[in-house]
Amino acid sequence: MEKREDLRSMLQYLPLVVQSSSLVWPPSVEQELQTMSTGPSESMVISGEALALRITSMRRSLSLNVSDLAPYALQGYALFFDEKISREESAKFFGEVVPALCGLLLQLPSMLETHYQNADHVLDGVTSGLRLLGPQEAGIVFLSQELIAAILACSFFCLFPEVDRRLKHLQGINFDELFSFLYTRQCMKQESKIRCIVHYFERICQCMPKGFVSFERKVLPLEYNPHYVSYPEAEYWAKSTTPLCSVQVHTTGVIEDQPGEALEVEFADEYFGGLTLRHGCLQEEIRFMMNPELIAGMLFLPRTDKNEAIEIVGAERFTLYTGFGSSFQFAGDYLDNKELDSYMRRKTRVVAIDAMPRPGRRQYKPDGILREVNKAFTGYLHQCKHQAGTLPSSASGSQVVKCSERLCIDHEEKTIGVATGNWGCGVFGGDPEVKIMLQWLAISQSGRPFMSYYTFGLQALQNVSQVVVRIGLQEMNVGELWSKLVEYSTERLSRRTKLGFFSWLITSLSSTN
């Protein structure tokens, strides 16, 4: 078992040890879990304070410093379970959920061994096992929902080692900061985030899901290769004759509630998960609270570069919510009725792409607009191994889409559009009129049939439907719209115009007619 390269890449990040070619818990930790799995009458874990003591004890048994936890994290556990929820809720959690989670953790060694035994057969010999999926390493990891539940249980009890994670550009995966911020800030959004996690644990302890979730690092090669689609230069976009795809604009509603099948864009941080386990509550963090299985990717997915994106298929939704940012609140249970594909994944496709933070004037510079359109293109492009396809035609002719690191496992992908919104336009400070056009270009060039755009009521986009219609009447293609964006950005940088892109474009088109 320890000879497996995928397992070896993860061992230092797991709380387990290898003994006689098997994965095991250290004996003292196993004993603690055994005791807690029998229930509060035996373990005496009947409060948040008692739970915090057990977390401390198990960490010491794993040779993990308690001082490495976020300040006041243990007090946060006590605050939430002893004061923030009712006695009935607390009694149910310690009477039913904690024992079930500990029973699940006792099975983690055998679950991981089974996972690795099956990993080479899920995708016909292509590696799909749990491993560190580093920068510029295109690949896919398939995890059962049960294994993900055990991973998140480890996070809840703060059992993952923190050593060297930051050196590999990995975020913290333990829930200590989540509870620390509850204690130090005591804000409603933090309490609601924890309620989402607790609700997830209650659900999976009642009925363990039996499906799978895949996490894929998509990489657009930086070096040119005539046989692959590589990271495009500006000339590629300028010469493209690809038609623009259709656009559906929604002034109400949210991406995750889109009724059809579409690749749902998650406005990500360069670190997968962003501030999910800290104090943030942006679109990315909210998505991770609705679909907590996404958090498991934080264990093994380091920071993404400009030519990378993360695509997740199969994450189940468990909760409803209201509000946004400081008004975010847990709003109860959600039953996810999405169909399963042939790999037992829910047909929920999420792609995480990070926009430039606080770009200012850089977003109008050539390297800025090229970076953003290529980042989106990386997320939306479907690349296939063993199956040659064609990218929509460009001025230089058709290009073969072929990537040796990626299997084409989703045969419906080419018929699936993109559901997106104001990517990088909130606290990141992006220009929404430019960003929607860059996404439209990337989606069209990737060969996807439509863009379903949610404006979230943003005032700057109130006229977007009219602009889309006007562009359609001009029968613009990707290259022509790209050239207009470049022209506008040049004028914006030189201060020859103060207009937004929509007004500038309409004026420009009117003067040429």
Side-chain angles (χ1 to χ4, degrees):
M1 179 66 67
E2 70 272 22
K3 293 181 180 179
R4 291 189 61 102
E5 186 177 340
D6 46 10
L7 173 58
R8 286 206 312 271
S9 76
M10 288 302 300
L11 270 177
Q12 64 180 312
Y13 307 113
L14 298 174
L16 306 177
V17 295
V18 178
Q19 181 178 298
S20 302
S21 297
S22 296
L23 291 169
V24 297
W25 285 104
S28 53
V29 179
E30 184 174 15
Q31 183 57 54
E32 293 256 22
L33 292 172
Q34 287 280 10
T35 301
M36 285 195 288
S37 71
T38 61
S41 59
E42 181 74 20
S43 68
M44 301 305 294
V45 178
I46 57 174
S47 67
E49 186 176 358
L51 174 62
L53 290 174
R54 287 288 187 173
I55 290 173
T56 300
S57 177
M58 286 192 289
R59 284 184 61 85
R60 286 176 176 155
S61 297
L62 289 165
S63 300
L64 302 177
N65 293 327
V66 177
S67 61
D68 288 339
L69 293 176
Y72 304 108
L74 298 176
Q75 291 92 327
Y77 279 88
L79 175 65
F80 181 81
F81 290 105
D82 299 341
E83 297 182 33
K84 293 294 185 180
I85 61 176
S86 68
R87 290 185 179 181
E88 292 76 16
E89 290 175 301
S90 182
K92 180 179 180 181
F93 188 80
F94 291 114
E96 299 176 13
V97 179
V98 168
L101 292 180
C102 292
L104 182 65
L105 285 179
L106 287 169
Q107 300 174 47
L108 178 59
S110 61
M111 272 195 283
L112 273 173
E113 289 188 6
T114 300
H115 164 77
Y116 284 114
Q117 288 165 4
N118 296 333
D120 295 335
H121 309 292
V122 175
L123 296 177
D124 192 26
V126 173
T127 300
S128 67
L130 176 62
R131 63 196 184 280
L132 189 67
L133 208 52
Q136 305 304 314
E137 184 183 346
I140 193 166
V141 170
F142 258 73
L143 301 176
S144 71
Q145 289 183 276
E146 185 175 27
L147 179 52
I148 290 174
I151 289 171
L152 298 189
C154 276
S155 298
F156 176 75
F157 291 113
C158 299
L159 301 182
F160 285 113
E162 296 88 0
V163 177
D164 294 336
R165 285 188 63 83
R166 287 182 177 82
L167 293 177
K168 291 290 187 178
H169 302 292
L170 288 162
Q171 292 217 84
I173 183 68
N174 290 323
F175 289 174
D176 54 317
E177 289 200 53
L178 199 60
F179 285 90
S180 171
F181 277 104
L182 173 69
Y183 186 83
T184 56
R185 305 288 177 89
Q186 295 206 27
C187 56
M188 178 61 73
K189 70 176 182 182
Q190 201 70 9
E191 180 181 332
S192 288
K193 288 172 74 172
I194 297 173
R195 283 183 177 272
C196 290
I197 296 293
V198 167
H199 176 71
Y200 162 76
F201 285 136
E202 290 172 345
R203 279 277 306 275
I204 59 103
C205 288
Q206 290 171 359
C207 182
M208 181 62 69
K210 299 301 182 184
F212 289 82
V213 181
S214 65
F215 298 80
E216 180 182 7
R217 184 180 285 271
K218 301 168 72 172
V219 180
L220 204 57
L222 292 172
E223 295 184 1
Y224 173 76
N225 186 309
H227 301 296
Y228 304 150
V229 176
S230 54
Y231 194 79
E233 298 295 336
E235 184 181 15
Y236 171 92
W237 293 101
K239 291 184 176 181
S240 173
T241 58
T242 302
L244 293 169
C245 69
S246 66
V247 177
Q248 306 157 5
V249 176
H250 308 274
T251 56
T252 60
V254 288
I255 294 170
E256 62 269 16
D257 288 337
Q258 57 90 19
E261 284 195 48
L263 185 63
E264 300 172 6
V265 179
E266 190 228 330
F267 311 147
D269 186 271
E270 62 179 342
Y271 288 92
F272 185 69
L275 299 176
T276 297
L277 301 183
R278 300 180 190 174
H279 59 86
C281 212
L282 305 176
Q283 190 264 0
E284 178 178 27
E285 287 80 44
I286 290 175
R287 189 67 199 243
F288 276 59
M289 292 298 103
M290 291 188 300
N291 302 68
E293 291 164 335
L294 295 172
I295 296 171
M298 296 170 66
L299 176 64
F300 57 90
L301 291 168
R303 183 185 68 195
T304 55
D305 292 330
K306 66 178 183 179
N307 62 323
E308 299 181 309
I310 305 296
E311 184 172 333
I312 311 95
V313 181
E316 184 173 350
R317 181 176 173 184
F318 289 86
T319 63
L320 294 169
Y321 74 95
T322 59
F324 186 81
S326 60
S327 65
F328 170 75
Q329 289 190 45
F330 168 72
D333 187 42
Y334 180 88
L335 292 177
D336 193 335
N337 295 315
K338 284 280 184 75
E339 294 180 359
L340 302 181
D341 66 12
S342 59
Y343 292 91
M344 294 294 289
R345 303 173 301 175
R346 269 183 171 71
K347 289 186 177 181
T348 298
R349 303 165 177 85
V350 177
V351 63
I353 51 174
D354 56 292
M356 293 188 299
R358 298 171 294 281
R361 290 174 59 78
R362 185 192 166 197
Q363 65 187 308
Y364 304 114
K365 293 181 178 180
D367 69 321
I369 60 174
L370 185 62
R371 188 270 183 200
E372 297 296 78
V373 74
N374 283 347
K375 169 63 79 164
F377 188 49
T378 304
Y380 306 150
L381 187 65
H382 36 74
Q383 297 166 301
C384 305
K385 180 184 178 184
H386 306 318
Q387 180 176 340
T390 56
L391 198 66
S393 59
S394 67
S396 59
S398 297
Q399 289 183 279
V400 174
V401 181
K402 191 175 181 182
C403 180
S404 62
E405 287 96 351
R406 185 170 192 261
L407 272 178
C408 187
I409 63 173
D410 191 341
H411 302 294
E412 300 175 349
E413 193 173 12
K414 289 185 179 180
T415 67
I416 292 168
V418 176
T420 187
N422 308 325
W423 174 53
C425 299
V427 296
F428 272 35
D431 182 332
E433 296 183 28
V434 170
K435 278 294 201 305
I436 186 174
M437 294 295 133
L438 290 171
Q439 290 195 80
W440 193 7
L441 291 170
I443 293 167
S444 300
Q445 190 68 19
S446 72
R448 304 227 176 230
F450 67 85
M451 175 173 72
S452 188
Y453 196 96
Y454 291 80
T455 68
F456 297 93
L458 190 65
Q459 188 70 16
L461 297 179
Q462 61 178 332
N463 296 324
V464 64
S465 293
Q466 296 94 303
V467 173
V468 168
V469 169
R470 185 64 183 272
I471 291 172
L473 290 173
Q474 296 291 129
E475 297 184 351
M476 279 191 186
N477 59 32
V478 166
E480 290 165 339
L481 181 56
W482 167 263
S483 296
K484 285 294 183 183
L485 270 176
V486 170
E487 184 183 349
Y488 168 77
S489 298
T490 301
E491 292 196 12
R492 185 70 183 259
L493 275 173
S494 63
R495 304 186 190 279
R496 291 199 300 271
T497 185
K498 294 182 179 179
L499 294 174
F501 178 71
F502 291 174
S503 298
W504 177 91
L505 180 66
I506 296 301
T507 302
S508 172
L509 294 177
S510 299
S511 65
T512 58
N513 289 339

